[in-house]
Amino acid sequence: MKSGLTVRSDNYADVLDALNKLSGTDVLVGIPAGPPREDSPLSNAEIGYLQSTGATVEIDGAIVTLPPRPFLDMGIEDSRDKTTERLKLAAQSALEGKADVASMHLEAAGQIARDASKAVIEAGDRLTPLSEKTIKKRREMKPPILGDKPLRARGFLFRAIQYVVRKK
């Protein structure tokens, strides 16, 4: 007795390959480690961490308490629905044996989360406002910084936000 099932093509190897690639891959969003900035003894990654979590630090000989401004967490949460959809599409593509399409969806998920984190900084409205002392210091800089958005002085931290799709 026949089952009625006809095998038109066997893509088992493609499916297995795509699933192996997908399961061994991370999508990471953040600020890569790097050398100290020209204007600071700290790197963008270190500054981003301190700004995200809050910290008590010494700046120009004064002890300053930075309030937490979790821009990465907020951006990732803001983009959760869109990134989740892309991750689902990546898994579906892997199950169809389409590793290249799965990879494309992983890249898109990273881009979406990165851009959402940058949007939090660009809007600035959900981050703890700058202190009057910081705003005054910005105005006294050469050249002066006229804006008052947190984390958006000269754009170094903003431009450092990246994503990467990599093997575990």
Side-chain angles (χ1 to χ4, degrees):
M1 180 165 131
K2 288 189 168 184
S3 68
L5 177 68
T6 304
V7 176
R8 295 186 183 174
S9 67
D10 181 2
N11 66 345
Y12 171 79
D14 291 337
V15 170
L16 190 57
D17 180 56
L19 287 173
N20 282 334
K21 286 179 182 174
L22 184 64
S23 68
T25 304
D26 283 329
V27 179
L28 305 172
V29 178
I31 301 170
R37 292 182 1 185
E38 292 178 17
D39 65 337
S40 171
L42 303 175
S43 70
N44 281 316
E46 292 165 326
I47 292 170
Y49 175 78
L50 295 174
Q51 289 287 0
S52 289
T53 60
T56 300
V57 296
E58 183 180 336
I59 300 176
D60 298 332
I63 301 298
V64 177
T65 298
L66 304 172
R69 295 184 174 106
F71 60 96
L72 286 171
D73 294 338
M74 295 166 92
I76 290 168
E77 182 59 34
D78 290 351
S79 65
R80 181 177 304 277
D81 290 344
K82 290 180 181 177
T83 56
T84 299
E85 182 59 29
R86 286 298 186 143
L87 295 174
K88 285 179 184 177
L89 289 170
Q92 182 180 1
S93 297
L95 289 171
E96 295 170 359
K98 300 175 183 175
D100 291 344
V101 176
S103 178
M104 177 193 72
H105 288 299
L106 294 176
E107 292 284 336
Q111 292 168 5
I112 291 165
R114 175 204 59 202
D115 293 348
S117 296
K118 286 184 172 188
V120 170
I121 293 175
E122 191 59 39
D125 59 343
R126 295 173 14 205
L127 301 172
T128 303
L130 297 175
S131 69
E132 289 302 319
K133 182 178 178 179
T134 299
I135 293 171
K136 182 177 184 283
K137 184 177 175 182
R138 281 185 174 192
R139 304 300 186 266
E140 294 169 351
M141 296 176 93
K142 302 289 186 222
I145 299 171
L146 302 177
D148 61 358
K149 289 183 182 177
L151 310 180
R152 197 69 169 104
R154 302 237 187 257
F156 297 121
L157 185 66
F158 181 85
R159 289 189 300 272
I161 300 170
Q162 302 293 321
Y163 79 93
V164 65
V165 178
R166 72 173 190 193
K167 295 288 177 202
K168 291 182 184 179

